Amino acid sequence: MAAADQIKSLIKSFGEGDEARFFSIAMQIAAKEARKGHSTFARELKAIIDKAKESRAKIEFKEQKVVPLSPIKRELRELIEVSDSKIRLSDMVLAENVRKSLNRVVSEQRKFDELRKFNLSPRRKLLLEGPPGCGKTMTAYALAGELNLSVFVVRLDGLISKFMGETIAKLRLIFDAMQSYRAVYLFDEFDSIGTVRNQFNDVGEIRRVLNSFLINIEKDESNSIIIAATNMPDALDSALFRRFDDIIKYPLPSQLEIKELLKRQLHGFKLDFEIDGVAEYARGRNFADVVKACEESIKEMIITGSEKISEDSIKEYLASRRD
């Protein structure tokens, strides 16, 4: 039978909720019994452990629990920012093809058990590309909101170190966390680590970081969702693209999409203009500029004591943002 110390450690790890240590000790006990010649008991114990691991993985996926910041390891907290999300995809104005792709991701995530029966996995590694302010970052929060997950934003300033070994070790720590903490992991401005490996001015450092990322994302089999977002897809190494389940391209909003966004942002306020005209004027702007223009116009109305939102105030802000 198992030694007293192992039994105590087993119970202690269970009480502390440390599943990794619990299963590790259980496997040690099985190995010890096998060495003693108790092969049948050892095989039975290992089968029970494997089944328990599989059951726990399914339960964790179904629960989709939001992970609070406090239990996360201190060294990991230096690399990520954790937040909850109440945003849903229905809160976003999106191009139809983008919305269709994201709805597919959500549908597959919710059908995890059914897909597993056929040895299939849901989409969960996404590369989002497109101009700034078109909804890439917000998408990470919307997917988290849909699936009741936390958002883990990877802090690239904390990840990149002047000591190469540290950077690769930190990247490994983030991918290890994906197994322990199911969440949406967002690598924003991903081009800062995903640049082409033959760049002559990186003295090999970024190449090694990129190689490490390629290896880690290829091996990752967690239930977490990985999102890499970039404004410069042409700068990415070609080897990255096949590592993602979906590559979703975010265009600048159309006039109809801008109109819809204006209606949402200005709902409940009186206007001194027709939305169609402002939507046409705003063509070529991104969603972020339109939202900011609406916010500035609402503030202007409040400050001046006007009863209506001014068309001039919206156009003035949009004009200031033109290239």
Side-chain angles (χ1 to χ4, degrees), residues 2 50 56 76-77 119 144 148 163 165 178 188 239 259 281 296:
D50 290 340
R56 284 303 304 161
L76 187 58
R77 278 183 280 169
N119 200 29
N148 193 28
F163 302 109
M178 294 176 188
D188 213 351
K259 179 181 177 180
Y281 182 83
E296 293 299 318

Side-chain angles (χ1 to χ4, degrees), residues 23-176:
F23 286 123
S24 174
I25 295 170
M27 286 300 294
Q28 290 173 22
I29 293 172
K32 187 174 182 179
E33 293 301 317
R35 288 195 298 271
K36 289 181 178 179
H38 304 155
S39 56
T40 300
F41 174 64
R43 284 197 300 270
E44 290 175 349
L45 185 56
K46 185 178 183 303
I48 291 171
I49 293 168
D50 290 340
K51 187 174 181 179
K53 282 183 176 181
E54 184 178 347
S55 297
R56 284 303 304 161
K58 289 182 178 180
I59 290 170
E60 288 175 2
F61 194 99
K62 287 181 178 178
E63 287 177 350
Q64 299 177 336
K65 45 187 181 178
V66 174
V67 181
L69 182 60
S70 53
I72 296 175
K73 297 177 181 178
R74 179 182 59 81
E75 59 268 31
L76 187 58
R77 278 183 280 169
E78 296 173 355
L79 301 176
I80 60 173
E81 294 178 1
V82 182
S83 60
D84 299 333
S85 175
K86 303 298 182 184
I87 300 172
R88 300 291 187 271
L89 289 175
S90 59
D91 297 323
M92 299 182 67
V93 177
L94 296 165
E96 189 57 35
N97 62 320
V98 174
R99 186 176 299 279
K100 183 178 179 181
S101 295
L102 297 177
N103 284 335
R104 180 63 182 269
V105 172
V106 173
S107 297
E108 291 192 10
Q109 287 288 321
R110 289 174 176 166
K111 294 291 185 179
F112 171 78
D113 285 338
E114 288 83 348
L115 292 172
R116 282 292 295 270
K117 291 176 183 177
F118 294 92
N119 200 29
L120 298 170
S121 300
R123 285 173 166 84
R124 61 180 191 83
K125 300 176 183 178
L126 310 177
L127 175 62
L128 313 183
E129 60 177 62
C134 290
K136 300 186 299 297
T137 300
M138 190 176 180
T139 292
Y141 287 85
L143 289 176
E146 292 284 350
L147 299 170
N148 193 28
L149 298 174
S150 293
V151 182
F152 283 21
V153 180
V154 178
R155 294 180 50 194
L156 296 180
D157 60 331
L159 175 63
I160 304 299
S161 168
K162 63 181 179 179
F163 302 109
M164 177 47 49
E166 288 185 6
T167 300
I168 293 176
K170 289 176 180 178
L171 190 61
R172 179 67 257 174
L173 187 63
I174 291 170
F175 276 90
D176 286 344

